[in-house]
């Protein structure tokens, strides 16, 4: 593993403190709700793509799924295919029913292998963000390989979808990846509006970009963070401990929403995977949750791009400050 101190982002144990921050959501909304579709199918580890095994992680057999070293595990491959062939389209129909948009954490190769779905996402107004070129652990990349992987994902997604991502979440990057995002985008002549490579808050905040440390304050642009989470993630159906049955998933989402709604000013993220919550029983639980929050006043269901644009307008970057 290569840890380059030039791209380190120091830990912050204090955050906004006791009173948190009121992001002043549009139209007086009490809560911003961000649905996120992790689209990875066809880009996971597989022998057909030169990897040493089929993907053992986040498919229907969960922790008991296992793997086959040096050989295809067709059960795992087939479960991933369900996500692209069926689950993704089910979720697209569900969100069309509500008129809501998600943010797509899009793996570039997965979109390349299902361009009709990629184009349907754009057609229906869903945001495209980069989730990496392939869905692999990137622990051992050099700094230059790390940057190249970021750039490669952006180029591919732009070609497949016709849209340049303005947000990123890799989740399986190296210790340097989160400090390289903005630099890689700038080297391409593109703007990175937000990153979700953190799990440490319930509201957005600004980070100082490591590569800007020697610039004057007037030249610095910072990096906006929209924190992500694992606790509301449908991936917990395949983790131990995790969700046992769709009822537990539904109740946890509702409890999280209720706490945030009562507190006010929070951002709730609901991470989804087409091969997981795209299964019929879980999709029905998700629909029940969507009906629940639809009945509440002051709920802003939106994309991460819109959240970032709002926050940037209300709280412009100030070097050394969260907001």
């Amino acid at each position: 593993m290569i840890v380059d101190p030039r791209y380190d982002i120091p830990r912050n144990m204090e955050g906004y403190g006791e009173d948190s921050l009121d992001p002043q959501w549009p139209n007086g909304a009490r809560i911003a709700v961000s649905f996120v579709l992790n689209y990875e199918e066809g880009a996971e580890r597989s022998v057909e793509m030169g990897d040493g095994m089929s993907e053992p992680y986040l498919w229907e057999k969960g922790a008991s799924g296992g793997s086959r070293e040096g050989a295809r595990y067709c059960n795992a491959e087939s479960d991933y295919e369900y996500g692209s062939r069926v689950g993704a389209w089910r979720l697209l129909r569900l969100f069309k029913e509500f008129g809501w948009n998600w943010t797509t954490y899009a793996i570039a190769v997965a979109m390349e292998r299902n361009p009709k779905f990629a184009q349907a996402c754009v057609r229906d107004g869903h945001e495209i963000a980069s989730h990496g070129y392939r869905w692999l652990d990137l622990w051992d990349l050099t700094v230059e390989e790390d940057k190249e992987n970021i750039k490669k994902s952006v180029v591919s997604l732009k070609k497949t979808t016709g849209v340049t991502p303005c947000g990123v979440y890799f989740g399986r990057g190296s210790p340097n990846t989160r400090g390289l995002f903005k630099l890689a985008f700038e080297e391409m002549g593109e703007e990175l509006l937000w990153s979700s490579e953190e799990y440490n808050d319930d509201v957005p905040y600004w980070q100082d970009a490591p590569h800007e440390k020697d610039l004057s304050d007037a030249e610095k642009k910072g990096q906006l963070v929209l924190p992500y989470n694992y606790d509301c993630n449908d991936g917990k159906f395949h983790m131990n401990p995790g969700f046992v049955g769709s009822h537990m998933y539904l109740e946890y989402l509702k409890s999280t929403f209720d706490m945030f709604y009562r507190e006010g000013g929070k951002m709730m993220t609901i991470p989804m995977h087409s091969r997981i919550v795209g299964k019929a029983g879980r999709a029905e639980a998700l629909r029940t949750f969507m009906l629940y929050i639809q009945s509440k006043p002051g709920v802003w269901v939106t994309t991460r791009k819109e959240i970032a644009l709002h926050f940037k307008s209300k709280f412009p970057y100030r070097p050394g400050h969260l907001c």
Side-chain angles (χ1 to χ4, degrees), residues 204-240:
Y205 65 90
W206 287 100
Q207 278 177 342
D208 295 330
H211 71 283
E212 295 179 344
K213 63 182 176 62
D214 294 326
L215 300 179
S216 68
D217 282 359
E219 295 175 296
K220 294 177 180 178
K221 298 180 180 178
Q223 179 165 280
L224 181 59
V225 175
L226 306 184
Y228 194 46
N229 72 63
Y230 285 128
D231 67 305
C232 292
N233 198 312
D234 66 348
K236 292 188 70 174
F237 279 106
H238 301 331
M239 297 176 188
N240 186 22

Side-chain angles (χ1 to χ4, degrees), residues 55-66 79 235 237-240:
E55 183 62 60
Y57 182 54
L58 290 188
W59 68 284
E60 204 62 41
K61 290 191 76 174
S64 65
D79 192 60
F237 279 106
H238 301 331
M239 297 176 188
N240 186 22

Side-chain angles (χ1 to χ4, degrees), residues 180-229:
L180 288 169
F181 282 135
K182 198 168 187 69
L183 177 60
F185 270 66
E186 287 178 2
E187 289 182 354
M188 299 180 70
E190 303 290 357
E191 180 185 10
L192 178 64
L193 184 59
W194 59 266
S195 166
S196 286
E197 206 76 9
E198 307 285 358
Y199 311 86
N200 53 11
D201 218 312
D202 296 323
V203 291
Y205 65 90
W206 287 100
Q207 278 177 342
D208 295 330
H211 71 283
E212 295 179 344
K213 63 182 176 62
D214 294 326
L215 300 179
S216 68
D217 282 359
E219 295 175 296
K220 294 177 180 178
K221 298 180 180 178
Q223 179 165 280
L224 181 59
V225 175
L226 306 184
Y228 194 46
N229 72 63

Side-chain angles (χ1 to χ4, degrees), residues 242-254:
F243 297 127
V244 181
S246 58
H247 63 287
M248 186 181 291
Y249 172 64
L250 172 60
E251 288 307 312
Y252 191 82
L253 292 185
K254 289 172 68 175

